[in-house]
Amino acid sequence: MKKIIIIGAGIGGLSAGIYGLKAGFDAEIYEMHTVPGGECTGWNRDGYHFDSCIHWLTGTKKDTQLYKMWCEVGALDNVEIYNHDYFTCYEKEGKKVYIYRDIEKLRTHLLDISPEDKNQIEELCNYTKRFQTCYVPADKPQDMMNFFDFLKMIKNMKSVLPLMSKLNKITVKEYLSRFKSSLIRGALLSSIMIDYYSSTALFFTLSTFTADNGGWPRGGSLAMSKRMAKRFEDLGGKITYGAKVGKIIVENNTATGIELLDGRIVKGDYIISATDADVTLSELLQNKYKDKKFEIMYSNPQDYPLPNCVQVSLGVNEDLSHIPHCISFPTTPFDIGGKVIDSLVIKHYYYEPDFAPKGKSVINCVLTNCDYDFWKKKRENISEYKAAKAEVAEEVMIRIVERFPELLGKFEVIDVTTPVTYERYCGAYRGAWMSFAITPKGKFISHSGILKGLNNFYMAGQWTLFPGGLPSALVSGKFAVQRICKNEKVPASLHLH
Ligand SMILES: Cc1cc2nc3c(=O)[nH]c(=O)nc-3n(C[C@H](O)[C@H](O)[C@H](O)COP(=O)(O)OP(=O)(O)OC[C@H]3O[C@@H](n4cnc5c(N)ncnc54)[C@H](O)[C@@H]3O)c2cc1C
């Protein structure tokens, strides 16, 4: 039986491992951490659990292909899914706008808020409905598709293709500027959080949510990652934790194994690297394999920006179940390393009783697009770094108390992650929480995961299917195994279900 060695036990690596075993290979995963999941994680602090990933999980609707795949890898089978009535609530000057899951309710609500935006609201809802029929292509990688596969894909996307080409040309920000109501603009922006994406991203997000396909799996991110790791091990796979890979061994332009930082060597027939792409290319392969697509993307941050974030998690001695589970509001501005923050999006988890002791709550606040270089510089001096983190937490808490005065003095546990946290713990390039953004100027939407001149090697993970996210990581793992099956002349379709 041929052996696949997988580097990284994030969602991409776990997916590759599970599909590898299902396809009849031996599979071993080497992960530098002590837990599975990579960026799909959470941690305990003094009686609280801070979830650090899932806001919504695309693929929670039962009759979709992604749902089937999440079940195949053990992430969702027999797992309760929460579908909130509204995705987010935006509040300004005492008025509230809800982004409802029910599209007709959303339409009526937005029309009540801003009748003068009638045409724009009708368009938004109609486009959203059209996008509901469009799913992430997950059958097989594009480089393995034949004429009929392309035809099928185009047929599936027929109703949205002309729309996509129109919406891809403008950013979320440009699209939102067409609304007269600042309330509606604020509400829609807070649901996607990043305004430089192509505006198709807004419709993918809204359509996912309004089609009941973006729920919350019970237990959250780390629990989901652990279920996948269990599925992998139950199928006979082996995960070695605390095993940082230093190098991919290449002989005669063929990947033949890995060398761990402690000097151990492990040989295999195929290597799948499911780490951050920069780690793979510059560290594990020591820049020996040049790749045009990645070079273009890394050297053009204007066209291929990388989203990052600072995340403030708070353990609060107060039951927050009476306030919206996700609420955003403008605040008095504050500055983090030159980046001005003038609104907050805060989330709490009343629906997860185990995240906080009884009668208490967890608040999570994500501040997007922070300055990586600012945090990197601060990290050179650990006390300055800690002070900067404490300062951000303080600014956030002040503004939360401005909005919810009853929370004064109720913050018991404070935890802050920065882009440097994701860099240190997951190897994420410049602390990115997703991969290359799809913008009007960027050309690429995927990478084959194959490096020219290097045999028996494949990349997986969110860096091969842009703009990343959990579904991309999941699908990329299966795609890597399909490519191996093709190389081995094994009919993948017989095994990968
Ligand atoms: C705050 C936050 C919120 C998010 N919200 C959402 C959301 O709501 N919905 C969504 O779909 N996505 C969300 N994402 C994105 C999602 O988490 C990622 O897209 C996904 O987890 C990436 O998976 P991956 O397997 O590609 O990579 P990673 O998770 O980065 O996994 C890579 C793994 O490789 C390991 N590794 C790296 N280098 C080495 C080495 N040398 N040796 C051994 N192991 C190594 C790392 O430790 C890690 O475990 C969010 C991310 C963050 C940070």
Short mmCIF file of all heavy atoms in Angstrom, two decimals, residues 444-484:
data_model
loop_
_atom_site.label_atom_id
_atom_site.label_comp_id
_atom_site.label_asym_id
_atom_site.label_seq_id
_atom_site.Cartn_x
_atom_site.Cartn_y
_atom_site.Cartn_z
N PHE A 444 -6.59 35.36 -10.54
CA PHE A 444 -6.65 33.93 -10.24
C PHE A 444 -7.70 33.59 -9.18
O PHE A 444 -7.96 34.37 -8.27
CB PHE A 444 -5.29 33.45 -9.71
CG PHE A 444 -4.15 33.82 -10.61
CD1 PHE A 444 -3.04 34.48 -10.11
CD2 PHE A 444 -4.19 33.49 -11.96
CE1 PHE A 444 -1.99 34.83 -10.94
CE2 PHE A 444 -3.14 33.84 -12.80
CZ PHE A 444 -2.04 34.51 -12.28
N ILE A 445 -8.26 32.40 -9.29
CA ILE A 445 -9.17 31.94 -8.25
C ILE A 445 -8.72 30.59 -7.66
O ILE A 445 -9.28 30.13 -6.67
CB ILE A 445 -10.64 31.84 -8.72
CG1 ILE A 445 -10.74 30.96 -9.96
CG2 ILE A 445 -11.24 33.20 -8.97
CD1 ILE A 445 -12.15 30.53 -10.27
N SER A 446 -7.74 29.99 -8.29
CA SER A 446 -7.25 28.71 -7.73
C SER A 446 -5.84 28.42 -8.21
O SER A 446 -5.33 29.04 -9.15
CB SER A 446 -8.19 27.57 -8.14
OG SER A 446 -8.12 27.39 -9.53
N HIS A 447 -5.23 27.45 -7.54
CA HIS A 447 -3.90 26.96 -7.93
C HIS A 447 -3.99 25.45 -7.92
O HIS A 447 -4.62 24.87 -7.03
CB HIS A 447 -2.85 27.47 -6.92
CG HIS A 447 -1.45 27.16 -7.33
ND1 HIS A 447 -0.91 25.90 -7.19
CD2 HIS A 447 -0.49 27.93 -7.90
CE1 HIS A 447 0.34 25.92 -7.65
NE2 HIS A 447 0.62 27.14 -8.08
N SER A 448 -3.32 24.82 -8.86
CA SER A 448 -3.45 23.35 -8.97
C SER A 448 -2.79 22.61 -7.81
O SER A 448 -3.03 21.42 -7.62
CB SER A 448 -2.84 22.87 -10.28
OG SER A 448 -1.44 23.07 -10.20
N GLY A 449 -1.95 23.29 -7.04
CA GLY A 449 -1.24 22.60 -5.97
C GLY A 449 -0.09 21.74 -6.49
O GLY A 449 0.54 20.99 -5.74
N ILE A 450 0.17 21.87 -7.79
CA ILE A 450 1.27 21.11 -8.40
C ILE A 450 2.41 22.08 -8.67
O ILE A 450 2.17 23.18 -9.17
CB ILE A 450 0.81 20.46 -9.73
CG1 ILE A 450 -0.32 19.46 -9.46
CG2 ILE A 450 1.97 19.81 -10.47
CD1 ILE A 450 -1.02 18.95 -10.71
N LEU A 451 3.65 21.69 -8.34
CA LEU A 451 4.79 22.56 -8.63
C LEU A 451 5.57 21.93 -9.79
O LEU A 451 5.92 20.74 -9.73
CB LEU A 451 5.68 22.72 -7.40
CG LEU A 451 5.02 23.41 -6.20
CD1 LEU A 451 5.99 23.49 -5.04
CD2 LEU A 451 4.52 24.81 -6.57
N LYS A 452 5.82 22.78 -10.78
CA LYS A 452 6.49 22.29 -11.98
C LYS A 452 7.86 21.71 -11.62
O LYS A 452 8.63 22.33 -10.88
CB LYS A 452 6.66 23.46 -12.96
CG LYS A 452 6.69 23.03 -14.38
CD LYS A 452 6.54 24.23 -15.28
CE LYS A 452 7.09 23.84 -16.65
NZ LYS A 452 7.57 24.95 -17.38
N GLY A 453 8.14 20.52 -12.11
CA GLY A 453 9.46 19.91 -11.89
C GLY A 453 9.56 19.10 -10.62
O GLY A 453 10.61 18.53 -10.33
N LEU A 454 8.50 19.06 -9.82
CA LEU A 454 8.55 18.29 -8.57
C LEU A 454 7.48 17.19 -8.61
O LEU A 454 6.29 17.48 -8.57
CB LEU A 454 8.34 19.22 -7.37
CG LEU A 454 8.43 18.57 -5.99
CD1 LEU A 454 9.77 17.86 -5.78
CD2 LEU A 454 8.23 19.61 -4.88
N ASN A 455 7.95 15.96 -8.68
CA ASN A 455 7.00 14.84 -8.77
C ASN A 455 6.54 14.37 -7.40
O ASN A 455 7.24 14.57 -6.40
CB ASN A 455 7.67 13.65 -9.50
CG ASN A 455 8.14 14.04 -10.88
OD1 ASN A 455 7.42 14.74 -11.59
ND2 ASN A 455 9.36 13.64 -11.23
N ASN A 456 5.41 13.72 -7.39
CA ASN A 456 4.85 13.09 -6.18
C ASN A 456 4.63 14.07 -5.02
O ASN A 456 4.70 13.70 -3.86
CB ASN A 456 5.71 11.91 -5.71
CG ASN A 456 5.73 10.81 -6.74
OD1 ASN A 456 5.23 10.99 -7.85
ND2 ASN A 456 6.28 9.67 -6.39
N PHE A 457 4.40 15.31 -5.39
CA PHE A 457 4.18 16.35 -4.39
C PHE A 457 2.94 17.16 -4.77
O PHE A 457 2.77 17.54 -5.93
CB PHE A 457 5.39 17.28 -4.31
CG PHE A 457 5.12 18.49 -3.46
CD1 PHE A 457 5.26 18.41 -2.08
CD2 PHE A 457 4.68 19.69 -4.03
CE1 PHE A 457 4.95 19.52 -1.29
CE2 PHE A 457 4.39 20.79 -3.24
CZ PHE A 457 4.52 20.69 -1.87
N TYR A 458 2.11 17.44 -3.78
CA TYR A 458 0.91 18.25 -4.01
C TYR A 458 0.70 19.18 -2.82
O TYR A 458 1.01 18.83 -1.68
CB TYR A 458 -0.33 17.35 -4.17
CG TYR A 458 -0.18 16.43 -5.36
CD1 TYR A 458 0.40 15.17 -5.22
CD2 TYR A 458 -0.56 16.85 -6.63
CE1 TYR A 458 0.59 14.34 -6.31
CE2 TYR A 458 -0.37 16.03 -7.74
CZ TYR A 458 0.20 14.78 -7.57
OH TYR A 458 0.40 13.98 -8.66
N MET A 459 0.15 20.34 -3.13
CA MET A 459 -0.22 21.26 -2.05
C MET A 459 -1.73 21.15 -1.80
O MET A 459 -2.49 20.89 -2.72
CB MET A 459 0.11 22.71 -2.43
CG MET A 459 1.60 23.00 -2.40
SD MET A 459 2.00 24.52 -3.26
CE MET A 459 1.46 25.71 -2.06
N ALA A 460 -2.12 21.34 -0.55
CA ALA A 460 -3.55 21.41 -0.22
C ALA A 460 -3.73 22.57 0.74
O ALA A 460 -2.77 23.23 1.12
CB ALA A 460 -4.01 20.09 0.40
N GLY A 461 -4.98 22.79 1.14
CA GLY A 461 -5.25 23.88 2.09
C GLY A 461 -5.79 25.10 1.38
O GLY A 461 -5.87 25.17 0.15
N GLN A 462 -6.14 26.10 2.21
CA GLN A 462 -6.85 27.27 1.67
C GLN A 462 -6.03 28.09 0.67
O GLN A 462 -6.57 28.89 -0.06
CB GLN A 462 -7.31 28.16 2.82
CG GLN A 462 -6.20 28.75 3.64
CD GLN A 462 -6.71 29.85 4.56
OE1 GLN A 462 -7.80 30.36 4.38
NE2 GLN A 462 -5.92 30.23 5.55
N TRP A 463 -4.71 27.87 0.63
CA TRP A 463 -3.86 28.66 -0.27
C TRP A 463 -3.92 28.16 -1.70
O TRP A 463 -3.26 28.70 -2.58
CB TRP A 463 -2.42 28.69 0.26
CG TRP A 463 -2.37 29.42 1.54
CD1 TRP A 463 -2.56 28.88 2.79
CD2 TRP A 463 -2.23 30.83 1.74
NE1 TRP A 463 -2.53 29.87 3.74
CE2 TRP A 463 -2.32 31.07 3.12
CE3 TRP A 463 -2.03 31.90 0.88
CZ2 TRP A 463 -2.22 32.35 3.67
CZ3 TRP A 463 -1.92 33.18 1.42
CH2 TRP A 463 -2.02 33.38 2.80
N THR A 464 -4.67 27.09 -1.94
CA THR A 464 -4.81 26.62 -3.32
C THR A 464 -6.19 26.96 -3.90
O THR A 464 -6.39 26.81 -5.10
CB THR A 464 -4.59 25.10 -3.43
OG1 THR A 464 -5.52 24.42 -2.58
CG2 THR A 464 -3.17 24.72 -3.03
N LEU A 465 -7.13 27.38 -3.06
CA LEU A 465 -8.47 27.76 -3.55
C LEU A 465 -8.85 29.08 -2.91
O LEU A 465 -9.23 29.11 -1.74
CB LEU A 465 -9.50 26.67 -3.21
CG LEU A 465 -9.37 25.34 -3.95
CD1 LEU A 465 -10.30 24.30 -3.36
CD2 LEU A 465 -9.67 25.51 -5.43
N PHE A 466 -8.75 30.15 -3.67
CA PHE A 466 -8.93 31.49 -3.11
C PHE A 466 -10.42 31.84 -3.05
O PHE A 466 -11.17 31.37 -3.91
CB PHE A 466 -8.17 32.52 -3.96
CG PHE A 466 -6.85 32.01 -4.42
CD1 PHE A 466 -6.47 32.07 -5.76
CD2 PHE A 466 -5.98 31.41 -3.51
CE1 PHE A 466 -5.25 31.56 -6.18
CE2 PHE A 466 -4.76 30.90 -3.93
CZ PHE A 466 -4.40 30.97 -5.27
N PRO A 467 -10.89 32.60 -2.09
CA PRO A 467 -10.13 33.34 -1.09
C PRO A 467 -9.91 32.56 0.21
O PRO A 467 -9.72 33.15 1.25
CB PRO A 467 -11.05 34.54 -0.83
CG PRO A 467 -12.43 33.97 -0.98
CD PRO A 467 -12.33 32.91 -2.04
N GLY A 468 -9.94 31.25 0.13
CA GLY A 468 -9.70 30.46 1.34
C GLY A 468 -10.96 30.25 2.14
O GLY A 468 -12.08 30.37 1.62
N GLY A 469 -10.79 29.92 3.41
CA GLY A 469 -11.94 29.59 4.26
C GLY A 469 -12.04 28.08 4.41
O GLY A 469 -11.34 27.32 3.73
N LEU A 470 -12.90 27.67 5.30
CA LEU A 470 -13.00 26.24 5.65
C LEU A 470 -13.41 25.37 4.46
O LEU A 470 -12.81 24.31 4.25
CB LEU A 470 -13.97 26.08 6.83
CG LEU A 470 -13.47 26.78 8.11
CD1 LEU A 470 -14.59 26.96 9.11
CD2 LEU A 470 -12.32 26.00 8.72
N PRO A 471 -14.43 25.77 3.67
CA PRO A 471 -14.79 24.90 2.54
C PRO A 471 -13.64 24.72 1.56
O PRO A 471 -13.42 23.63 1.04
CB PRO A 471 -15.96 25.64 1.87
CG PRO A 471 -16.45 26.60 2.88
CD PRO A 471 -15.31 26.93 3.76
N SER A 472 -12.88 25.80 1.32
CA SER A 472 -11.73 25.68 0.40
C SER A 472 -10.73 24.67 0.94
O SER A 472 -10.20 23.84 0.19
CB SER A 472 -10.99 27.02 0.27
OG SER A 472 -11.82 27.96 -0.30
N ALA A 473 -10.48 24.74 2.24
CA ALA A 473 -9.51 23.81 2.84
C ALA A 473 -10.02 22.37 2.69
O ALA A 473 -9.26 21.47 2.30
CB ALA A 473 -9.29 24.17 4.30
N LEU A 474 -11.30 22.18 2.97
CA LEU A 474 -11.88 20.84 2.87
C LEU A 474 -11.75 20.28 1.45
O LEU A 474 -11.27 19.17 1.23
CB LEU A 474 -13.37 20.91 3.26
CG LEU A 474 -14.23 19.68 2.97
CD1 LEU A 474 -13.91 18.58 3.97
CD2 LEU A 474 -15.72 20.01 3.03
N VAL A 475 -12.19 21.08 0.49
CA VAL A 475 -12.22 20.63 -0.90
C VAL A 475 -10.79 20.39 -1.41
O VAL A 475 -10.51 19.43 -2.12
CB VAL A 475 -12.96 21.68 -1.77
CG1 VAL A 475 -12.81 21.39 -3.24
CG2 VAL A 475 -14.44 21.74 -1.38
N SER A 476 -9.87 21.27 -1.01
CA SER A 476 -8.49 21.15 -1.51
C SER A 476 -7.85 19.83 -1.09
O SER A 476 -7.03 19.28 -1.81
CB SER A 476 -7.65 22.32 -0.98
OG SER A 476 -7.40 22.13 0.40
N GLY A 477 -8.21 19.32 0.10
CA GLY A 477 -7.64 18.05 0.56
C GLY A 477 -8.09 16.91 -0.33
O GLY A 477 -7.29 16.05 -0.73
N LYS A 478 -9.38 16.93 -0.69
CA LYS A 478 -9.89 15.88 -1.59
C LYS A 478 -9.23 16.02 -2.97
O LYS A 478 -8.82 15.02 -3.57
CB LYS A 478 -11.41 16.01 -1.70
CG LYS A 478 -12.04 15.03 -2.66
CD LYS A 478 -13.55 15.09 -2.61
CE LYS A 478 -14.14 15.25 -4.00
NZ LYS A 478 -15.59 15.27 -4.03
N PHE A 479 -9.12 17.27 -3.45
CA PHE A 479 -8.51 17.48 -4.77
C PHE A 479 -7.07 16.93 -4.83
O PHE A 479 -6.67 16.33 -5.81
CB PHE A 479 -8.48 18.98 -5.11
CG PHE A 479 -9.81 19.53 -5.57
CD1 PHE A 479 -10.95 18.75 -5.62
CD2 PHE A 479 -9.92 20.87 -5.97
CE1 PHE A 479 -12.18 19.26 -6.05
CE2 PHE A 479 -11.13 21.39 -6.42
CZ PHE A 479 -12.26 20.60 -6.46
N ALA A 480 -6.32 17.14 -3.76
CA ALA A 480 -4.92 16.65 -3.75
C ALA A 480 -4.91 15.13 -3.90
O ALA A 480 -4.11 14.56 -4.66
CB ALA A 480 -4.21 17.09 -2.47
N VAL A 481 -5.84 14.46 -3.21
CA VAL A 481 -5.89 13.00 -3.29
C VAL A 481 -6.36 12.56 -4.67
O VAL A 481 -5.86 11.57 -5.23
CB VAL A 481 -6.81 12.43 -2.17
CG1 VAL A 481 -7.04 10.94 -2.35
CG2 VAL A 481 -6.19 12.71 -0.80
N GLN A 482 -7.30 13.30 -5.25
CA GLN A 482 -7.74 12.95 -6.62
C GLN A 482 -6.57 13.04 -7.60
O GLN A 482 -6.46 12.23 -8.51
CB GLN A 482 -8.87 13.88 -7.05
CG GLN A 482 -10.20 13.49 -6.40
CD GLN A 482 -11.28 14.52 -6.65
OE1 GLN A 482 -11.08 15.70 -6.39
NE2 GLN A 482 -12.43 14.09 -7.13
N ARG A 483 -5.69 14.03 -7.37
CA ARG A 483 -4.54 14.17 -8.28
C ARG A 483 -3.59 12.98 -8.10
O ARG A 483 -3.00 12.47 -9.06
CB ARG A 483 -3.82 15.49 -8.02
CG ARG A 483 -4.65 16.68 -8.48
CD ARG A 483 -3.96 18.01 -8.23
NE ARG A 483 -4.76 19.09 -8.78
CZ ARG A 483 -5.35 20.05 -8.05
NH1 ARG A 483 -5.22 20.07 -6.74
NH2 ARG A 483 -6.06 20.99 -8.62
N ILE A 484 -3.45 12.53 -6.85
CA ILE A 484 -2.59 11.36 -6.61
C ILE A 484 -3.22 10.13 -7.28
O ILE A 484 -2.53 9.34 -7.93
CB ILE A 484 -2.41 11.13 -5.08
CG1 ILE A 484 -1.58 12.26 -4.49
CG2 ILE A 484 -1.76 9.77 -4.82
CD1 ILE A 484 -1.35 12.17 -2.99
#
